[in-house]
Amino acid sequence: MVDIRDLHVSYEGEEVLHGIDAHFPKGKISVVIGPNGSGKSTTIKAMMRLIESDSGSVEIGGEPVSGLSQTELARRMAYIPQGRNIPDITVNRMVMHGRFPYLSYPRRYRPEDREMVGKALEWVGLIELSHKKMSQLSGGQRQKVYLAMALAQDTEVILMDEPTTYLDIKNQFELLDRARLLAEEGKTIIMILHDLESVLRYADHVVLMDAGKLTASGPAREVLGSEALKKAFGIELSFIETEDGVHCFVKR
Ligand code: ADP
């Protein structure tokens, strides 16, 4: 569904992505893993055209994103960035932002926009908090608001940069369970995660980055057990199978 081909990206003349090729299947959760500084965020930002690439391409359903206007791109791909400043607006207004790509100038919300926003807030279970300020919510609730905003944006693809950071374990699972439901509905979910146990539990497809290159991709168990993972993180994982599924821990 989303394909990256030979993507090169530099910051101030210094190349940090050295030719990435990746495929992210439709209706699946793909997770990008890799050590700090390996290029995960840069890849996601380049997919969203938030930073310019030197060469290569990103395609959605075979269509290069470089040929889309910002508005067209925002109708196809939503992006939930890493922890950010908390905007001084209500939950409802925040989720309304997801409808911007569908409004013509001057921005006037239509009944269908309000309906989609209501549905999205209901889906994440926050409808009764819609008049609260973002600053009045817990971290877990705020992250659900961003997910609702991405839903209201009604895109085929949702990119999430470390969506579970700062969330307690229950909220982490809740967020990832919701991501799973969205994938089952046919959305292409691409996220960066650090917790390898969650990767094992939730990822349908894993992409490993190391020093600006993609060094492994495939099913979670395969990538987490690969030589490339040992090399990237300098650790080796052991796996145990329980009735609840496969788990991993770091070998010492
Ligand atoms: P990750 O998300 O895997 O931690 P990043 O994509 O943030 O990695 O970073 C990849 C490389 O690019 C790192 O070497 C980092 O220092 C560098 N980098 C990231 N953002 C910038 C920036 N705005 N300016 C210059 N260098 C950057």
Side-chain angles (χ1 to χ4, degrees), residues 9-12 14-17 32-45 51 82 161-162 192 194 209-212:
V9 174
S10 304
Y11 291 112
E12 289 139 29
E14 196 175 322
E15 189 173 272
V16 297
L17 294 188
V32 183
I33 60 172
N36 295 132
S38 57
K40 304 179 297 295
S41 292
T42 302
T43 303
I44 297 263
K45 286 180 191 156
I51 47 179
Q82 241 182 77
D161 195 341
E162 297 185 31
I192 298 173
H194 279 296
M209 296 196 59
D210 185 9

